[in-house]
Amino acid sequence: MLKNRMSFIEKILSFLNLNTVRKKLIFYSAFMVVIMGSFNIYSFFYVRYISRQYNSIMRDLYFFNRVSVEFNSINDSFESILSDILNYREQNNLYETLSEFEDDIKNIEKRSRNTDNWVRIAGLRGLVETYNENVEKTLTLFKNNENYYEKLSYCRMVAKFINRRINEIVSCHLTQSSILYSEIEENSRRMQVYSASTILALFVFNAVVIVYFSNGISRPIRSLAKRAERIASGDLNVSDVLVNTNDEVALLANSFNKMSNNIRKLIDEIVEKANIEKKLKEEEMKNLKVTNMLKETELKVLQSQLNPHFLFNTLNTIARMAMLEDANTTLNLIESTSELLRYNLGKIKQGTVTLRDEIDNVKEYVFIQQIRFSDRITFNFDIDESLLDTHVPYLFLQPLVENAIIHGIEPKEGKGSLQIKVYSEDENVMIEVKDDGVGIPEEKMKYIYDDKESTSIGLCNVKKRMEYYYNDSNLLKVWSKPGEGTLVKVIIPKGTRDGEINV
Amino acid sequence: MENQLFNHQFICRLLSVCANHAILEGASKTQDIILMVSDLVRYIYDDRRNIVTLDDEIDTVKKFLLLQKFIGLRNIEFSLGVEKSYNYIYVKHLSILKRVVEDIELTFENTEETLSLRYVLEYLNSRVVINKFLNREKVESIVVNNIN
């Protein structure tokens, strides 16, 4: 209902083209001035009307009172002349006064023609004329020393009638005035009620309009402030501010809605852009990786072109040449090198091999090292043959043996020994590579798994691959004592088959 | 991780053992070739080399071409026309060797006739230009940027 009224008011405001707060305030002020002014003007004229009526009553009463006093004065003057109290000159004044008195009565007779007193006033005028006429005759008789008593007594009788008639007129006028006064009083009371009602109505209207206008301004502004606060705190999911008016507040609300929507869009765009940029960066990283992979692949292609064909062909040719030059040991070394190279390159993609493959490869390597070091190094294999079919990560053993020779035994003065032991313990296959070389200094033990510190594939690579294959980081352990040697122990969980480990 | 498994240093060490025994057994030619292979493997598989001098790259190409002749591609004649030292010019690792390997594969693999392949290197406007001649006819000019 209130909304309907509001929309009705809005329709009126829209019809009047009151589309700004300033125009609305000016219109409202002007409206109130007109209403209050009209009310005041009406009150003013009404009060004046009542005042005039009241004055009219009072004026007539005053007039008839004055008429009574004046007539009595005239009558006294008349009596005084007859008693020789006044001289003859005064007689002329009496005539003038009587004449003026008669004129006054005539005037009031004309004025009272439409009143109830008119008949009485007309009678009064007749009595006054009679009185004047007889006064004049009485004074003429008195002047001529004739008998004037009859006329005097007639004048006195007329004077009594005149006084009685004046009292009647005043009494009648008072009666009429009391009725009129009651009407005036009634109208005045009604006027008070109308005034109070009008003031109350205006007060209520004013209150409604003030509440409506203040709500129309403050509510959207409060709503705007709340939303602005939420936006400032980072919450951009604010609903639009709804304003039914079409003034500056609506303009402000619409601008705010546009601004918040734009901010939301902007943030969305920024987030989207950031996501796109992130994706692009990821894409770039991928591309970079792909590019690096391609470059690496490119290099690997070249390398692989050299590996299988070129290197093996070259080694075969070298072997033939060694044979031609009667260098049989060199021939055997070249053949072993070729086998090692073949094992190194040939099974890279395979991932796992059997322990037998690893042991055979190490034996090939040991053969070369035995030729190289002659009797300086003693190699000892202690292998449990039943465990050789165990699947193990490819090329995990050769780096351990190579490390033992290069970093353990080779720097040692004098002879050395290297033991490779394969045995079963609990549910695991244990592989030990033990040397009696120089050992690993304590400070180097900290970096033993750091591939940057290692000169070969190193323990780090083997450890990482063991961890990757078996999801266990404790499968490679190293014990070393400077001057006494090093023991590397590899633990292969028993029962693992090719399909059961991460390839 | 698997890529790390091919340890060229390991191969080089083995080749070094072979070369030492070739000397002990008086097989000097075998030793020369083994050392050449070892050098080539060390150069090619050394991932730390991103930029090399032009001289190093040319030396490697020469060794590669000599080994190619050694392993039996005798119907091929090639030469490298380099007139002076290019120690101050740096090129990308394997940038020239890669082209030579590709050329040999494309040109000689499926032919029985004797072909002459010649490379002449020039240094023009901070760029290395490899002019390729097949049977004395210029067939291609390859530009290798000088990374200085």
Side-chain angles (χ1 to χ4, degrees):
Chain A
M1 189 71 178
L2 187 66
K3 277 185 180 176
N4 289 338
R5 279 182 194 165
M6 292 301 177
S7 60
F8 177 70
I9 292 170
E10 285 307 321
K11 278 178 187 174
I12 292 171
L13 295 175
S14 175
F15 176 74
L16 294 169
N17 197 23
L18 299 177
N19 51 4
T20 64
V21 174
R22 185 171 166 271
K23 281 183 182 176
K24 283 177 186 175
L25 286 173
I26 290 171
F27 171 78
Y28 177 68
S29 301
F31 175 75
M32 286 307 291
V33 165
V34 168
I35 294 290
M36 293 300 288
S38 304
F39 178 71
N40 283 335
I41 289 166
Y42 173 75
S43 299
F44 171 75
F45 282 107
Y46 186 76
V47 168
R48 200 171 71 161
Y49 165 72
I50 289 172
S51 177
R52 276 185 181 174
Q53 279 187 320
Y54 188 76
N55 286 341
S56 168
I57 293 166
M58 294 306 292
R59 191 181 61 232
D60 287 348
L61 284 173
Y62 173 75
F63 177 76
F64 285 113
N65 184 50
R66 189 172 60 80
V67 164
S68 174
V69 170
E70 202 174 327
F71 179 73
N72 287 331
S73 170
I74 288 168
N75 198 36
D76 289 345
S77 299
F78 171 61
E79 292 286 347
S80 300
I81 288 169
L82 293 175
S83 308
D84 286 334
I85 295 169
L86 292 175
N87 57 25
Y88 183 74
R89 195 184 293 172
E90 294 298 326
Q91 191 179 332
N92 290 333
N93 288 339
L94 180 65
Y95 290 143
E96 283 175 13
T97 308
L98 272 171
S99 175
E100 285 173 7
F101 182 72
E102 191 180 332
D103 289 342
D104 286 343
I105 298 299
K106 280 178 181 172
N107 284 335
I108 199 164
E109 184 195 356
K110 283 178 187 172
R111 245 187 14 235
S112 307
R113 190 154 288 157
N114 296 323
T115 64
D116 295 340
N117 264 340
W118 178 70
V119 178
R120 291 186 186 86
I121 291 169
L124 178 64
R125 193 251 314 150
L127 287 170
V128 170
E129 282 175 354
T130 306
Y131 179 76
N132 284 352
E133 193 180 326
N134 285 292
V135 164
E136 199 176 337
K137 285 177 180 172
T138 305
L139 287 175
T140 305
L141 291 171
F142 173 71
K143 191 179 169 182
N144 296 329
N145 289 321
E146 291 176 11
N147 186 10
Y148 62 91
Y149 293 109
E150 191 182 349
K151 285 292 176 190
L152 178 63
S153 65
Y154 185 74
C155 283
R156 283 176 178 167
M157 189 181 67
V158 173
K160 277 182 187 177
F161 280 120
I162 285 171
N163 278 323
R164 194 181 296 160
R165 179 56 56 91
I166 288 170
N167 288 335
E168 282 175 6
I169 288 169
V170 168
S171 176
C172 179
H173 195 74
L174 277 173
T175 306
Q176 285 178 348
S177 294
S178 69
I179 295 166
L180 188 62
Y181 186 76
S182 297
E183 282 178 7
I184 288 169
E185 205 171 33
E186 181 63 29
N187 285 339
S188 181
R189 201 164 36 247
R190 199 178 294 140
M191 185 64 196
Q192 282 176 0
V193 172
Y194 288 161
S195 297
S197 304
T198 307
I199 287 168
L200 188 67
L202 281 174
F203 177 78
V204 171
F205 176 74
N206 216 13
V208 169
V209 169
I210 284 170
V211 167
Y212 170 69
F213 273 117
S214 61
N215 274 345
I217 293 170
S218 67
R219 192 183 296 163
I221 288 173
R222 275 203 306 274
S223 184
L224 280 175
K226 277 183 186 172
R227 281 164 174 77
E229 208 170 317
R230 281 175 63 187
I231 288 174
S233 64
D235 180 11
L236 294 171
N237 293 322
V238 293
S239 57
D240 283 354
V241 181
L242 297 175
V243 180
N244 297 324
T245 58
N246 58 348
D247 52 14
E248 292 96 331
V249 179
L251 192 69
L252 182 67
N254 289 335
S255 302
F256 179 85
N257 291 338
K258 276 183 190 170
M259 185 191 74
S260 63
N261 287 332
N262 284 340
I263 287 173
R264 201 158 41 232
K265 277 182 189 170
L266 201 64
I267 296 287
D268 288 346
E269 279 174 12
I270 287 169
V271 169
E272 198 178 350
K273 205 174 172 184
N275 286 335
I276 290 169
E277 277 178 5
K278 194 181 169 187
K279 280 182 186 171
L280 278 174
K281 276 189 180 173
E282 285 173 0
E283 205 66 35
E284 272 178 20
M285 287 301 291
K286 274 185 188 173
N287 287 339
L288 197 65
K289 279 182 185 172
V290 169
T291 308
N292 287 338
M293 281 170 67
L294 282 172
K295 281 182 183 173
E296 202 177 330
T297 309
E298 195 177 41
L299 183 64
K300 296 295 171 195
V301 165
L302 176 62
Q303 290 170 345
S304 65
Q305 282 169 345
L306 293 171
N307 280 332
H309 306 297
F310 177 71
L311 279 180
F312 290 128
N313 286 344
T314 307
L315 288 174
N316 285 337
T317 309
I318 291 168
R320 283 205 302 275
M321 180 168 279
M323 196 168 65
L324 286 172
E325 289 187 323
D326 209 17
N328 292 326
T329 311
T330 305
L331 171 65
N332 291 333
L333 283 171
I334 293 293
E335 282 174 351
S336 289
T337 302
S338 188
E339 281 303 312
L340 282 170
L341 189 62
R342 189 168 282 113
Y343 186 80
N344 266 257
L345 295 170
K347 299 195 175 181
I348 282 180
K349 301 293 176 192
Q350 201 168 321
T352 61
V353 291
T354 61
L355 186 55
R356 191 189 311 279
D357 293 334
E358 281 291 290
I359 296 290
D360 288 347
N361 183 55
V362 165
K363 281 180 178 173
E364 200 75 56
Y365 176 71
V366 164
F367 168 72
I368 294 170
Q369 297 305 328
Q370 273 181 324
I371 291 174
R372 182 185 169 199
F373 290 102
S374 186
D375 60 346
R376 202 186 140 201
I377 302 177
T378 307
F379 293 95
N380 180 23
F381 287 85
D382 181 4
I383 311 283
D384 182 347
E385 297 284 333
S386 65
L387 302 171
L388 290 178
D389 289 329
T390 306
H391 280 270
V392 292
Y394 156 70
L395 209 64
F396 83 97
L397 190 55
Q398 181 201 297
L400 304 181
V401 175
E402 193 188 6
N403 272 347
I405 294 171
I406 294 172
H407 302 296
I409 300 172
E410 202 175 335
K412 182 187 176 183
E413 287 181 7
K415 292 183 178 180
S417 66
L418 193 146
Q419 186 184 37
I420 298 159
K421 192 176 176 182
V422 177
Y423 61 98
S424 177
E425 187 179 278
D426 299 329
E427 295 299 313
N428 300 315
V429 175
M430 311 298 286
I431 297 128
E432 286 182 6
V433 177
K434 186 181 178 183
D435 69 79
D436 58 356
V438 294
I440 305 168
E442 283 183 16
E443 64 269 19
K444 278 194 177 178
M445 278 297 282
K446 296 174 187 171
Y447 308 107
I448 197 162
Y449 298 123
D450 188 346
D451 53 354
K452 287 179 187 170
E453 295 293 318
S454 177
T455 51
S456 64
I457 289 174
L459 291 170
C460 175
N461 182 281
V462 175
K463 185 176 166 59
K464 276 184 183 172
R465 284 192 293 132
M466 295 295 292
E467 192 177 329
Y468 175 71
Y469 287 130
Y470 297 107
N471 290 323
D472 191 340
S473 58
N474 291 314
L475 297 178
L476 188 137
K477 293 174 180 175
V478 180
W479 293 270
S480 184
K481 201 168 185 181
E484 289 187 14
T486 304
L487 169 65
V488 179
K489 192 181 276 185
V490 178
I491 304 162
I492 304 288
K494 222 176 189 178
T496 45
R497 295 287 180 266
D498 194 24
E500 296 174 60
I501 59 177
N502 295 322
V503 178
Chain B
M1 198 185 290
E2 300 290 0
N3 291 331
Q4 296 173 29
L5 291 175
F6 179 71
N7 183 3
H8 71 279
Q9 288 173 332
F10 171 72
I11 299 298
C12 288
R13 279 194 292 272
L14 292 180
L15 288 171
S16 178
V17 173
C18 296
N20 289 338
H21 266 270
I23 292 171
L24 289 173
E25 293 183 319
S28 58
K29 203 170 181 182
T30 303
Q31 188 234 359
D32 287 344
I33 299 297
I34 291 170
L35 288 178
M36 208 180 284
V37 173
S38 179
D39 287 348
L40 192 66
V41 168
R42 188 176 291 112
Y43 182 85
I44 290 171
Y45 288 95
D46 190 352
D47 291 338
R48 288 171 297 184
R49 291 170 185 256
N50 290 322
I51 297 164
V52 292
T53 63
L54 185 56
D55 277 353
D56 284 346
E57 187 74 6
I58 288 169
D59 283 349
T60 307
V61 170
K62 280 179 181 173
K63 285 173 189 170
F64 175 74
L65 294 176
L66 280 172
L67 286 172
Q68 285 292 342
K69 284 187 82 172
F70 174 71
I71 62 174
L73 294 174
R74 297 185 186 280
N75 60 336
I76 301 166
E77 290 179 10
F78 34 66
S79 61
L80 203 61
V82 184
E83 293 178 355
K84 54 182 178 178
S85 173
Y86 289 109
N87 262 332
Y88 57 93
I89 298 169
Y90 289 88
V91 293
K92 203 174 151 190
H93 180 224
L94 300 177
S95 55
I96 298 173
L97 181 62
K98 186 182 150 195
R99 294 304 304 248
V100 172
V101 171
E102 284 173 2
D103 284 346
I104 288 171
E105 278 191 358
L106 291 170
T107 312
F108 298 108
E109 274 205 341
N110 299 317
T111 182
E112 292 295 323
E113 55 181 306
T114 302
L115 297 170
S116 167
L117 185 64
R118 179 179 167 80
Y119 294 95
V120 178
L121 269 70
E122 290 178 304
Y123 187 62
L124 294 170
N125 300 326
S126 301
R127 285 177 175 183
V128 179
V129 180
I130 306 168
N131 295 304
K132 192 171 82 180
F133 295 87
L134 187 62
N135 292 336
R136 297 190 178 183
E137 189 182 336
K138 188 176 177 181
V139 289
E140 195 179 4
S141 287
I142 305 151
V143 177
V144 178
N145 284 327
N146 175 20
I147 310 168
N148 239 341

